[in-house]
Amino acid sequence: MKRNATIPTPATAPAAFEPLGGIISGDGTHTNEDIARTRRYLTVEQAEHMSKVADQLAEDRAREHTEPAGLLTVAQQTLVYDEGLGAYRTARIETDMRDVDSISSDAENARTPLFSAEMVVADQVELWFGYGTTIGEVSPGKAREIVAEMRAFADRMEALCDVADGIAADDYETRD
């Protein structure tokens, strides 16, 4: 966002008054009340714009504070240029659990996470979602659909595990 520091102030403004000084600041501590106190020195359009900017900053701060903290490392949030790929990418996130492919050897499965994902930016923003050795390139919106489906599937899978435990407890053995 560009700041317009050339907005003229009326001659009646106090000598120490800065028309935009501190109203839009990086620390985000100023509110609409600050703008209201300053409003008499701004045009109606400027005051309305400043109010909208303050509201947007407040929304941005609120959104920042609602995101899950500590789930991603700095490397998993930071785009780095990959010369071999010719695109920017983040470090990959992955599950601790390894792949369970029954065709692969235990050693092969141990090298492959069950799920993984990373952000890649070339011509567009994509999430590369991995499940075992398969990688799918999806939009952030599609990735959210996948996350919702995984949550719903996890609940059903847990219910199926409960049924399997009940059957196994009666007559059958299970393997680990």
Side-chain angles (χ1 to χ4, degrees):
M1 176 180 307
K2 293 183 180 179
R3 297 181 191 175
N4 185 352
T6 60
I7 294 174
T9 57
T12 58
F17 176 77
E18 299 174 34
L20 297 181
I23 294 174
I24 302 176
S25 64
D27 65 5
T29 58
H30 299 285
T31 65
N32 283 335
E33 290 139 3
D34 296 318
I35 294 168
R37 282 193 298 274
T38 311
R39 190 170 297 217
R40 63 185 166 182
Y41 305 112
L42 302 173
T43 66
V44 171
E45 292 82 18
Q46 291 168 336
E48 288 174 357
H49 175 73
M50 299 306 294
S51 183
K52 288 178 185 175
V53 168
D55 289 343
Q56 184 61 48
L57 288 171
E59 286 177 25
D60 291 348
R61 281 192 307 276
R63 189 172 22 259
E64 288 171 7
H65 294 296
T66 58
E67 293 176 4
L71 290 178
L72 299 175
T73 66
V74 172
Q76 293 165 340
Q77 300 175 59
T78 306
L79 289 168
V80 176
Y81 189 72
D82 181 331
E83 289 186 26
L85 182 61
Y88 290 89
R89 68 191 318 171
T90 60
R92 186 169 71 168
I93 61 172
E94 59 184 46
T95 57
D96 290 335
M97 179 173 254
R98 305 286 81 184
D99 199 9
V100 294
D101 187 344
S102 49
I103 298 192
S104 298
S105 69
D106 289 343
E108 290 170 321
N109 283 341
R111 290 189 301 269
T112 307
L114 184 60
F115 298 116
S116 65
E118 66 182 290
M119 181 174 40
V120 177
V121 180
D123 295 333
Q124 58 190 3
V125 176
E126 295 180 327
L127 292 169
W128 288 7
F129 172 65
Y131 40 102
T133 57
T134 302
I135 303 289
E137 300 170 7
V138 298
S139 69
K142 184 66 172 180
R144 289 187 187 285
E145 289 177 27
I146 292 168
V147 169
E149 184 58 33
M150 289 173 74
R151 285 186 179 119
F153 178 78
D155 291 341
R156 293 191 314 270
M157 177 107 172
E158 189 168 21
L160 187 59
C161 289
D162 292 342
V163 170
D165 285 341
I167 291 172
D170 290 339
D171 296 325
Y172 299 92
E173 293 182 24
T174 60
R175 63 178 185 174
D176 290 328

